[in-house]
Structure formats: C-alpha cells, structure tokens
Amino acid sequence: MGWATIYSTTLAEEQPNVFDTSKLYGKQLLWIGMSFFLVIIILSVEAKFYQRFASVIYILALLVLLGLPFFGKTIAGQTAWYSFGSFSIQPAEFVKAAAALAIAKYLTGINVSLKNFKNQLQVLLLMLLPMALIMLQPDAGSALMYVAFIIPLYREGLPGIYLIIGALIISIFLTTIKFGAIYVSLAILLLSIIMLYFKRKSKPNYALPFLVVALCIGFSFASNFIFDKVLQPHHQDRFELILGMKSDPLGAEYNTYHSKVAIGSGGLTGKGWLQGTQTTGKYVPEQHTDYIFSAVGEEWGFVGSSLVVLLFCSLMFRFWFLAERQKSPFNRIYGYSVLSILFFHFAVNIGMVIGIFPTVGIPLPFFSYGGSGLWGTLILIFIFLKLDAKRMDL
Amino acid sequence: MRKLLPFLLISLVAFIFLGRLVYLQLIDDSYKEVALEFSTKKVYDYPQRGYIFDRNGELLVANQPAYDVMAVPLDVEPFDTIAFAEILNISPERLKNQLRKAWVYSPRLPYIITPQLTKKEYAYLQEQLHKYDGFYIQKRQLRDYQTNSGANFLGYIAEVNQRDLDRNPYYQSGELIGRQGVESQYEEILRGTRGVKYYQRDNFNRNIGSYENGVFDTIPKKGKDLTLTIDLALQAYGEKLMQNKWGGIVALEPETGEILALVSAPSYDPDDLVGRKRSRNYTKMWYDSISKPLFDRGLQAMYPPGSPFKVFTGLAALQEGVVGLNEKFSCYGGYSYGRSDRMGCHAHASPVEMISGIAYSCNSYFAQVYRRTIEKFETAPIGIEAWSKHMKSFGFGNFLGYDLKVGRKGRIPDSTYYNSAYKFKWYATATLSNAIGQGEIETTPIQLANAIAAVANRGWFYRPHILKEIDGSAIKDSVYTVKNKTTIDEKYFEPVIDGMHDVYKYGTARYLQVEGIEICGKTGTAENFTRIDGERKQLTDHSIFVAFAPKDNPKIALAVFVENGGFGARYAGKIASLMVEKYLKGNISRTDLENWILTHSLEEEYAKPYSGEEFKINQ
C-alpha cells in the first residue's frame, strides 16, 4: 500500500498537464476519483480468485476485443473504444492484466517448462492472440507491448538464446538500414573470423558458426527488403529519423522536434507550472497523452524530469523486489509481468519523447490522459498488491 | 542470474534517459532559443515620425492617421457584401477577392482588406462597422504634407522592400521607410525607436497572453523633429517661377553653406505619394522618361556651365599670374587660334580687361587667358593638371558631399582624360572650350551654386547641407562646419567680383538690376545637343545664370539652369533676379518681370525633339 504515496504525488504532477481544457481535466479527475472505488473492489476480491479464474478472465478479455470491430467506436482511424455516453473505454488497456494473469496461470501448470519447445509455442500463442486482435484495431504500440512478456518468461526459464537472437535481429536490422547490407555483412564476417581465430585452439565445430554467419548475412539482406517493402512509409520515416538519416522538423519529425524543443528549453529547473511556453502554446501534438513527458520536462526542467525517471525506476525496483520475495510462482510471474509492462511503457514512451526511440503510440503510466490507461495500470498493480498482501496464505 | 535482468534493463534505460536529459536540458542551449522563437511573437508599437520644419519654423511635414480595414476570416459572419463594399469604397468583387486571399493567408490571422482609408472615410465606416463581425480597424501613421513644394528634397515614405530587409535587419516586412530626400537621408533620426511587446503565441500563431508579464517589452521613442535650411517662401517662389520650364535652381547662404532653395522642375506635389494613390502616381512619374519629374535636376542634372565658368577661368589665370588686371585684349568678334580654328564671340565694346571681360562675357578674352594659364607650364598635360586642381578646389568635378542621397560628379577634365581622348600629342588649344565652360566641362546646379558661394566668400565655402537643427539643436557635424579653402588667394577675388557686379551695371544683365541691392552675377548660354534617330542635333541653348547678393557680406548665392531657355539673361537671369529680390526684400516690385516669367512657357521648346519634324533653335 506504500505505493499510494507515489500515486498521489504523480497525481499532483499530473494536474498542470491536463489543465489545458477544463473538460479533459475534469474527466480525468473523475476517472481518478472513480479509481478509488476500483481499487477497493480489486482489493476486496479474494486473492485466490485471480489465480483460479485467470483463464476465464483471459477468454472474456479476448471476447471483448473481438467485439470491437462490431460495436466499437472509431477515433482517429483506430477502432479501439467502447463508448458510453461521453466516456469511452479502451479494452486493450485492461487486456494486459488478463494476459499477465493467463501467462502466470499457464506457467504454473503441471509439467509446464519453458525448456520445452511445445510449451514455448503455447505461451507464444497466449501472447499472440491479444496481440493479433489489438493489431486489427490497429494499435501497433499497444500490440508491441506484449513483447515485454519476454522478461518474466526468461525469469521462468526461457532459454537465453531467444534473447540473444532477438538482440541480434534488432541490431542487424538497424545497422543494415543505416549502413547498408554489404557493409553489415562484411562486418559480420570480420567479427566471426576474429572470434574463430581466438577460439581456434579449442578445435571448434565450424558448421554451426558458419550457419549463424550465413543466417545473419541473409537476414541483413532481408532487412533491406523488409524495410523497403513491408514497412509503411511513415514507419520508415520514424526509423530514418532516429538513425539520423534525415531531418524533417516540419513533417515526420514534427512531434519529436517540438517535444525536444520543449524539454530542452526547460533547463535546470524548468519554467514553472503553467509557465511552459511550448506547453501552453500546444506546440507538441498529443502533449496531454503520449507526449506528456515533454510538458514535465519543460515546466519542471531537469530536476522534475529526472525525478520522474527516478521515481519510475524506484517503483520498478520495488516491484522487482516484491516479485522476487513471492513464494508462489504464480504471484512471482504475475509480478514480473506487471514490472515488465511498466518498464516497456516507461522505456518506449520517454525514449520516444526525448527523441532516442522511434515514435510508438503508447502512453506513460500515471501521467498520460486517459481513463482506460489509468484503470488498466491500477488493475495491474493492485491485483499484484493484493496477491502480495496474501503471499503468506498458501 | 536470470533474476538480474530487470535490474540491468531498468538501470541501463534510466542511465540513458538521464544522460539524454542532461544533454537536452543542461548542455545544449539551442533549444531555449528555438522555443522562444516558436512561442513568442513580437508586436511593435510604432512611434510618431519626426516632423520637418523649414528654417523659419514653418511646418513642412507632419503626420496623419490612416486606417486599415482588417479582417480575421474565421470571425467573419455572413454579411451584406454590396453594402459593405460601398462603405469601403471598393467593388463587391474586390471585397470578395480580398476575403478569399485572407482565407488563403490564414483563417485565424488578421489580413488587410483595404489599406489606408482617410479620416473622412473612416468616420463613416466607424458608425457602420459594428454590423460586420470579424472586421476591425488598424491605425497607422502617414505623412501629412503642409506644403506642395519641395517634393524632390523631402522625399516620401513607403513600405520596405526586400532589398531594405536584406540590407538592414532592423526592419520588418510591412514597415515604412524613408525614400529619397531628407526622409531617406535622416531616416534613423526621423523614425524614432519602435517599442516592442512580446506576446506568447500558440501553435496556430494566436496570441495567448503577454510573455513573462512584459519584462522584455520596450516603450516606443518618438522620432526627432528636423529643421531644414530651406526657406519655404523662397522654395515655393522658385518652383512657381520654374513652372512650364525644365531645370534647377540652387540657392545657398554663402556664410554657412545652408541650402535655401533646391528647386527642380518639373516636380510633383509631395502629397501625390501619400497613401493609396502613391503606387499609381509613382508608376506614372517613373515611366515619364521625357520630363522625368522624379529626377532632381538641382542635384543630378549635369549641364555645361557655360559663361559663368569664365569667373573661374579668370581666377585661375590671376592666381597663376599669367595676366595683369589691366591688361587689355582685343576682341575681333571672336578668337582665331590655329589655321582654321576660331571661337566666336558676340558684339560688345573692345578691347576688354578682366572686369569688363566678365561684364561683357567676352569669349576671346577668356580663351586667351586660359591658353596662357595652360601654356605657362612646360607641357599641356602639366598645365591642365594645375588648372584642374584650381577648379576642383571649388567643388567641381566630384561629389560635393552634401547631405542628400542623390548627386553626380560632374566633370573637370585632367591630363589623363585628354591623354586617352587624343592619340597624339595635344596642346592647350585642343581644350580651349574649357575656358568658357563648354567642351568637356559639366557641372550640376548645386556645384555651380556652391562655387559661386565660394566666390562670394572670397575663397572658401562650407559644404552645402540641408539639415539645420535636430530637435531644435544645431548640427555639429564637422563635415558641414569646417571651411573648405579654394586654391585662389583672397586678393584675386575682388576684381572678378567687380566684373560680376558690372554685369548688372552695363554688362549682359544690365536690365535685371534689383533696386537697392548690390548684386553680382554672370550670365551663361550653353550649347547642347541631343540625338534624334542617331543623328547629333543641336537644341536651343540652355539659359544659365549665377548670382550672389549683396556684393559685400553676401546673404544668398544661387545658380539657375533653364533647359533650352535661350541666352542667359532671357530666362535664368530674370529668375535669378526675382529670387534674389524675393529673398532679400520679401516682396517683388517688378511685377511685369515676374509676370513675363510666369506667363512664358518652354513646353513648346521641349516638344520639338519629339515632334518628328524639322525645327529651328534659339528663336
């Protein structure tokens, strides 16, 4: 329950940023007010309930997602909302918790081991189902978030080779876009020859390294193709901007550019609450949702923005600590999932706002405007807190 | 080990983020400037432009408010276009067109629908404006001319163009800047300092309040008033006399170098270049390539000075000691030099010495005196150099350095000039026309007036200038308060001045005496040519006159050029005489003379070269 403090401080900081129009601000306050009841409900539910009904919740969540194309409301090209009067609910925000419960439940099943390829596939399916449904909306940012589950999976025994392969794929992809397939291939060859040279005494098997190198080079050439043919032009832009291959402050880079300007102009202590020239001038689009951190950076400066970063870190460390102290694997896996989801949001959102990560539409927990996001996060966290409170009752 | 992954990831990301924040917020300062540029808007507060007075405190130029009708398209509600267009005094089509342009410019920003309504138009509009949402009035200052004289030296104000913007970062698009004349020369004094208010603006460029509560805002400073050296009465009188004639009058006060009158004819009413009618009128005058009303003939026209130049030929000869004061030369109706070369002269008493030579304007006398001056030296080039130096000390042959922007160098030939003009060795006789102010010599009216002022001062002059006081305190610029000495000794001026005095007594201007004023002058008649269909054709002579008065302690020195006015006394002499009387006495006693000038037009003369028919000159 110590996290209520963090919650309330984030609330205080949230106000200036949603003050922009009284309507949004009022709505958000209502969401916050109602969230207390939500928390009470979550906390009053028996801890065992979450574990027992995880699969039911998961299936219900999937059904809700499935219903979107038929009953959903379309805003800005995304059919991601159910509308009730003037309030809208975005189910994808709640499905995170359901998926986390389901994965935790699955992994605690008898004879389930992540060393086992079949089990790996089944977990992947658990992740892919909501991902695919969210992709249909389409909401790439929220869908991408399911990648975060790789952290609890690794904790629970997923072979490290997957992480290495993932890292390899990303780095080859990015370097190929930046430098071209030929240079990347040469670099890979050079690296592998050097590595083999140092290992020559142990008489290694040459077949496997050869295969890896061949695959890497193959992928390098493939990435060019993927980049040019599979990705949409606006996705290409985002990669090229981050890799410094082009500059377009008036077009594709507009958001990032103005967000950097806003943060950069904050200086050490910022311009003060409601004094940010860029914030009050609404130069950064979506500054009350995905780009809210730019307002923090401008109005509270380095002191405020680094404090926010540190608070997030301490929150995540705290979850890490809490998750590790759980006796029940279900609780631990769920805790790790909460931590990972938070981490993904934090890393991707702030990374995007300060211009070191490609633009991905994903909110910053506790800060961004949006009731569903707030509730989704609260549900995630308070289920875990409830589980943690009852960790001794086995 | 698997437990540590979250710790490592979180630490790594936090480290990267903090590093990035340090860079963005603490190290790289450029974002602050960019943010300020994006988020603030400067709104300027323009001060009143300084007034302009004449030397007697007569107000020449003041300011008047003008009213721009502005519209913010988003705020405009449907309205009766025809009625509103009628109020604005424009066609409904134009009104609709302007509104369309305003939409294209920006739906949220104000746009000028019709600029510069007069006070009267505005008064009527003001009553009606409340019916039309989205329209409002923006006030601005225009010049209000209290006189219709002096357009050429007053100049005008107009919106800055791209060249001004490139050259001077002070100006913003749409601001007004002085053009030509005093408005341009003393722009920075007249305009004052504008005030600036910083507003915060949003991403649609709308104002969203004052920036930092206005700590960076500044208050506008009113432009300073200028007092010119011009005497409005004399200026206006000069312009009146020059009506239907082309040419220039420059009148100076010899003891100060102050410009009393600077007449250029034809000219225009300065009010023609105010407000909405400016563009149309300016274009019309710009394309008038025949009478060139925008051309300041007093400063820019280069004429052969003709006989007044004999004064300087005489002075140079006396200074070089090549002629005695009483040395007489006979005039046989001209002067023959060389086998078949002869310079003509008109009928007058003969023989003549210096004084009567000037009085009768004898060509032969000055041709011989000039020849002696050049031939005193070993070779003609050395002689020309010495002579040229004397002439240039009077301000001929180069920019005078007065405080107006336009001007010409004129021409005093030197040895280099003739060396390149003649392939073979040349002698003094080749340059003989210089003696009588013809040939290669060209001067502007102000140069000649200045040289006559130097004669009146017996050997020195102050650089001519038009600015007398700034906000009531006299100018201290050393350019205009340090004497320029000529190369001629003071003692040589007296006989020459006597000669100029005799011009009025018995000489070429004996009928133009002004009663009660000891006046000195010199007539001039200059041949001039034009090209018609590629053929060199002589036109009626220019009528030229220089004068100063009174003889002792001169108060006014002037040069008058009347294009194609015939011999010197015919037009220029009369005008000079009337100008002197006007300035020194204040009223004109010889109304018949005045009447003659006012009723005689030279338009017919100016039409001759363009008539396409054969014409006769000097009639």
Side-chain angles (χ1 to χ4, degrees):
Chain A
M1 292 304 284
W3 305 120
T5 340
I6 289 171
Y7 174 46
S8 62
T9 51
T10 50
L11 172 72
E13 285 188 13
E14 191 171 14
Q15 279 173 343
N17 310 317
V18 289
F19 249 118
D20 297 325
T21 76
S22 58
K23 206 176 155 205
L24 288 185
Y25 162 67
K27 265 189 179 178
Q28 188 70 1
L29 204 64
L30 198 58
W31 280 112
I32 291 165
M34 295 198 312
S35 65
F36 282 103
F37 298 101
L38 181 78
V39 166
I40 290 165
I41 293 167
I42 293 167
L43 292 180
S44 54
V45 170
E46 193 60 32
K48 285 282 170 208
F49 170 86
Y50 297 112
Q51 187 169 6
R52 200 158 294 156
F53 290 95
S55 27
V56 180
I57 296 171
Y58 178 73
I59 287 162
L60 269 177
L62 288 187
L63 285 178
V64 170
L65 278 182
L66 258 177
L68 273 177
F70 309 106
F71 311 108
K73 183 177 152 199
T74 306
I75 298 174
Q78 294 182 339
T79 313
W81 285 270
Y82 284 117
S83 176
F84 305 99
S86 64
F87 285 88
S88 301
I89 288 203
Q90 193 179 4
E93 297 291 346
F94 303 99
V95 176
K96 292 175 202 164
L101 286 172
I103 286 169
K105 165 104 177 177
Y106 175 77
L107 291 181
T108 46
I110 306 156
N111 285 337
V112 173
S113 163
L114 282 170
K115 304 258 180 331
N116 189 328
F117 187 65
K118 190 184 147 207
N119 291 140
Q120 288 171 9
L121 270 186
Q122 282 166 341
V123 171
L124 187 66
L125 192 70
L126 281 180
M127 284 159 59
L128 278 181
L129 273 175
M131 245 175 126
L133 287 173
I134 292 169
M135 217 46 188
L136 280 177
Q137 295 179 354
D139 183 356
S142 299
L144 216 54
M145 191 223 76
Y146 288 85
V147 173
F149 282 109
I150 202 148
I151 295 171
L153 294 184
Y154 177 72
R155 172 67 180 83
E156 299 305 317
L158 186 74
I161 188 75
Y162 288 104
L163 291 184
I164 295 170
I165 289 173
L168 210 57
I169 286 176
I170 292 170
S171 44
I172 290 176
F173 184 70
L174 290 181
T175 47
T176 302
I177 294 169
K178 174 94 184 173
F179 303 107
I182 292 167
Y183 288 109
V184 173
S185 307
L186 284 176
I188 293 167
L189 271 178
L190 204 67
L191 269 175
S192 49
I193 288 168
I194 291 168
M195 277 161 71
L196 284 179
Y197 178 80
F198 283 111
K199 292 213 168 176
R200 68 192 185 281
K201 281 187 185 142
S202 58
K203 297 222 171 91
N205 175 5
Y206 287 100
L208 186 67
F210 181 77
L211 191 69
V212 170
V213 168
L215 276 175
C216 285
I217 291 173
F219 180 72
S220 173
F221 280 95
S223 359
N224 250 349
F225 177 79
I226 295 170
F227 184 74
D228 287 339
K229 298 282 151 56
V230 181
L231 288 183
Q232 304 273 332
H234 66 276
H235 291 133
Q236 292 175 13
D237 283 343
R238 291 173 185 182
F239 278 107
E240 285 176 339
L241 290 172
I242 286 301
L243 294 172
M245 289 160 70
K246 75 186 210 186
S247 169
D248 183 13
L250 291 177
E253 204 187 352
Y254 184 87
N255 270 31
T256 313
Y257 179 71
H258 278 280
S259 156
K260 279 197 285 189
V261 167
I263 294 174
S265 67
L268 179 63
T269 53
K271 298 175 188 168
W273 182 41
L274 294 182
Q275 298 297 311
T277 54
Q278 310 308 103
T279 302
T280 44
K282 300 194 188 70
Y283 284 90
V284 186
E286 299 299 325
Q287 63 171 357
H288 59 296
T289 57
D290 294 353
Y291 278 88
I292 198 156
F293 188 71
S294 71
V296 176
E298 189 192 8
E299 301 199 333
W300 302 104
F302 177 71
V303 173
S305 48
S306 56
L307 183 73
V308 168
V309 168
L310 292 175
L311 279 176
F312 266 107
C313 289
S314 54
L315 178 66
M316 289 185 292
F317 281 138
R318 175 75 183 157
F319 277 129
W320 179 52
F321 169 76
L322 288 181
E324 282 298 338
R325 80 176 180 186
Q326 300 300 319
K327 292 196 172 100
S328 135
F330 176 82
N331 288 7
R332 185 180 62 228
I333 298 165
Y334 182 75
Y336 253 76
S337 300
V338 173
L339 161 66
S340 317
I341 292 168
L342 273 179
F343 174 72
F344 186 85
H345 277 268
F346 162 76
V348 172
N349 180 280
I350 296 185
M352 159 185 90
V353 174
I354 61 181
I356 53 178
F357 201 86
T359 312
V360 176
I362 172 169
L364 185 61
F366 306 115
F367 280 81
S368 292
Y369 171 78
S372 308
L374 176 68
W375 280 23
T377 315
L378 288 179
I379 290 170
L380 264 180
I381 290 174
F382 279 93
I383 288 177
F384 179 55
L385 292 180
K386 178 71 182 178
L387 293 176
D388 179 55
K390 300 290 177 191
R391 68 185 183 277
M392 298 304 176
D393 315 350
L394 272 174
Chain B
M1 270 312 286
R2 285 173 182 265
K3 287 182 197 175
L4 284 178
L5 181 67
F7 176 80
L8 288 175
L9 281 176
I10 295 169
S11 312
L12 181 71
V13 168
F15 186 73
I16 293 172
F17 282 2
L18 290 178
R20 178 70 173 176
L21 287 174
V22 166
Y23 172 74
L24 281 179
Q25 301 189 304
L26 303 182
I27 297 174
D28 191 346
D29 271 344
S30 68
Y31 290 106
K32 284 187 187 169
E33 288 156 36
V34 177
L36 196 67
E37 204 175 291
F38 272 121
S39 63
T40 57
K41 188 157 91 178
K42 289 184 203 165
V43 174
Y44 295 112
D45 195 353
Y46 294 98
Q48 282 241 12
R49 204 171 168 85
Y51 283 16
I52 302 175
F53 298 92
D54 91 334
R55 66 187 294 118
N56 303 316
E58 199 85 33
L59 183 59
L60 302 178
V61 187
N63 295 318
Q64 58 180 332
Y67 305 88
D68 295 342
V69 179
M70 316 287 291
V72 180
L74 263 186
D75 301 340
V76 173
E77 303 280 338
F79 63 98
D80 185 346
T81 332
I82 295 171
F84 194 52
E86 207 167 289
I87 296 171
L88 295 180
N89 200 13
I90 55 175
S91 71
E93 287 73 39
R94 179 160 171 78
L95 178 58
K96 278 183 208 158
N97 204 19
Q98 287 294 94
L99 278 172
R100 206 172 307 127
K101 278 193 213 159
W103 264 106
V104 172
Y105 175 64
S106 163
R108 292 181 181 84
L109 294 181
Y111 186 84
I112 297 184
I113 300 298
T114 46
Q116 303 174 3
L117 295 185
T118 62
K119 232 175 196 167
K120 215 169 138 194
E121 286 172 307
Y122 168 66
Y124 183 56
L125 173 66
Q126 205 183 15
E127 292 169 13
Q128 306 285 327
L129 198 65
H130 67 272
K131 293 184 200 162
Y132 303 97
D133 289 324
F135 291 93
Y136 71 98
I137 297 288
Q138 181 178 286
K139 204 168 139 186
R140 67 152 115 192
Q141 296 286 335
L142 292 181
R143 279 311 211 184
D144 186 11
Y145 292 95
Q146 309 294 310
T147 169
N148 45 25
S149 299
N152 54 320
F153 62 78
L154 288 176
Y156 58 96
I157 52 174
E159 268 185 28
V160 290
N161 58 28
Q162 196 54 47
R163 265 180 70 215
D164 301 317
L165 293 175
D166 294 343
R167 227 175 356 200
N168 193 336
Y170 175 88
Y171 294 99
Q172 305 283 319
S173 179
E175 280 185 19
L176 298 168
I177 189 172
R179 288 239 188 287
Q180 298 182 358
V182 174
E183 296 277 17
S184 163
Q185 181 77 28
Y186 293 111
E187 161 72 11
E188 277 164 37
I189 298 172
L190 283 170
R191 78 175 175 214
T193 313
R194 67 175 169 224
V196 61
K197 279 199 173 78
Y198 288 87
Y199 286 105
Q200 216 172 307
R201 64 177 185 186
D202 70 1
N203 56 339
F204 292 123
N205 214 355
R206 291 174 297 202
N207 278 358
I208 50 171
S210 138
Y211 176 69
E212 301 270 311
N213 292 324
V215 287
F216 300 113
D217 297 358
T218 54
I219 298 167
K221 255 188 235 145
K222 188 186 178 298
K224 289 180 177 147
D225 294 345
L226 299 186
T227 301
L228 301 185
T229 59
I230 296 288
D231 183 312
L232 179 63
L234 186 67
Q235 172 75 25
Y237 188 62
E239 289 183 14
K240 192 173 151 196
L241 295 177
M242 286 298 282
Q243 65 185 350
N244 305 323
K245 300 155 199 86
W246 296 358
I249 306 174
V250 179
L252 304 172
E253 185 177 70
E255 58 183 335
T256 55
E258 293 175 356
I259 300 172
L260 298 172
L262 185 55
V263 177
S264 172
S267 188
Y268 57 94
D269 186 338
D271 194 49
D272 287 349
L273 295 187
V274 173
R276 275 206 267 185
K277 52 193 185 292
R278 188 184 67 79
S279 165
R280 187 166 20 101
N281 286 334
Y282 189 84
T283 313
K284 210 167 90 192
M285 292 194 283
W286 175 257
Y287 283 110
D288 186 352
S289 61
I290 294 172
S291 69
K292 295 181 190 155
L294 293 173
F295 183 68
D296 192 331
R297 286 173 165 80
L299 303 178
Q300 289 174 291
M302 297 209 297
Y303 300 107
S307 303
F309 208 71
K310 289 172 186 162
V311 170
F312 308 101
T313 307
L315 285 170
L318 289 174
Q319 179 70 29
E320 292 296 339
V322 293
V323 65
L325 261 185
N326 299 314
E327 200 173 340
K328 290 196 174 172
F329 291 78
S330 291
C331 174
Y332 307 104
Y335 171 57
S336 301
Y337 56 99
R339 218 164 297 153
S340 58
D341 298 317
R342 181 178 160 82
M343 180 184 280
C345 192
H346 55 97
H348 58 81
S350 173
V352 291
E353 30 53 76
M354 179 64 77
I355 293 174
S356 58
I358 289 176
Y360 290 129
S361 193
C362 176
N363 287 351
S364 319
Y365 177 85
F366 286 99
Q368 292 172 68
V369 163
Y370 170 80
R371 188 173 174 178
R372 281 195 193 175
T373 310
I374 305 299
E375 288 179 348
K376 174 189 169 191
F377 297 90
E378 221 165 289
T379 62
I382 301 175
I384 282 282
E385 283 302 317
W387 169 83
S388 164
K389 240 177 90 188
H390 289 307
M391 295 304 117
K392 283 176 178 166
S393 76
F394 281 92
F396 290 123
N398 208 341
F399 296 114
L400 260 184
Y402 46 77
D403 55 347
L404 285 166
K405 288 234 164 119
V406 294
R408 299 292 287 274
K409 280 172 104 164
R411 180 164 61 231
I412 294 295
D414 55 16
S415 58
T416 342
Y417 179 87
Y418 289 113
N419 282 338
S420 61
Y422 297 116
K423 276 184 189 160
F424 307 103
K425 199 168 180 208
W426 49 277
Y427 298 95
T429 46
T431 68
L432 209 59
S433 304
N434 291 344
I436 57 167
Q438 292 270 172
E440 287 75 33
I441 293 173
E442 284 186 306
T443 66
T444 62
I446 195 168
Q447 282 178 336
L448 196 57
N450 177 61
I452 292 304
V455 172
N457 287 335
R458 279 80 171 162
W460 58 267
F461 64 90
Y462 285 122
R463 227 173 273 283
H465 52 277
I466 197 160
L467 183 64
K468 196 172 165 67
E469 294 165 359
I470 299 173
D471 259 355
S473 54
I475 54 159
K476 292 181 195 74
D477 193 340
S478 64
V479 176
Y480 307 115
T481 51
V482 169
K483 278 184 189 175
N484 297 279
K485 294 265 186 203
T486 65
T487 50
I488 311 294
D489 294 344
E490 197 183 334
K491 61 181 175 193
Y492 296 122
F493 282 94
E494 279 316 322
V496 171
I497 288 171
D498 284 341
M500 290 176 75
H501 189 52
D502 288 353
V503 166
Y504 277 100
K505 270 211 284 212
Y506 58 85
T508 47
R510 57 190 171 279
Y511 306 116
L512 298 174
Q513 266 277 28
V514 187
E515 214 188 309
I517 301 174
E518 292 294 307
I519 183 169
C520 302
K522 181 74 198 78
T523 53
T525 309
E527 295 183 342
N528 63 104
F529 303 86
T530 188
R531 276 191 179 276
I532 298 172
D533 299 335
E535 202 183 322
R536 188 171 140 105
K537 201 111 165 79
Q538 187 162 12
L539 299 178
T540 300
D541 297 338
H542 290 330
S543 176
I544 301 165
F545 203 91
V546 297
F548 67 87
K551 186 180 170 204
D552 301 309
N553 191 18
K555 288 290 168 211
I556 179 172
L558 77 170
V560 180
F561 280 76
V562 179
E563 291 182 16
N564 312 116
F567 58 89
R570 189 162 169 230
Y571 277 95
K574 289 172 182 144
I575 290 173
S577 167
L578 288 167
M579 289 286 280
V580 168
E581 187 179 7
K582 176 81 180 171
Y583 184 65
L584 294 180
K585 285 187 161 178
N587 61 321
I588 299 297
S589 54
R590 298 160 296 162
T591 46
D592 52 333
L593 186 68
E594 183 184 37
N595 213 32
W596 189 93
I597 285 290
L598 292 179
T599 51
H600 278 68
S601 163
L602 286 169
E603 296 292 351
E604 203 184 313
E605 200 68 51
Y606 302 132
K608 279 181 183 175
Y610 302 98
S611 64
E613 290 160 22
E614 280 298 305
F615 56 85
K616 290 186 172 165
I617 60 162
N618 291 339
Q619 285 190 329

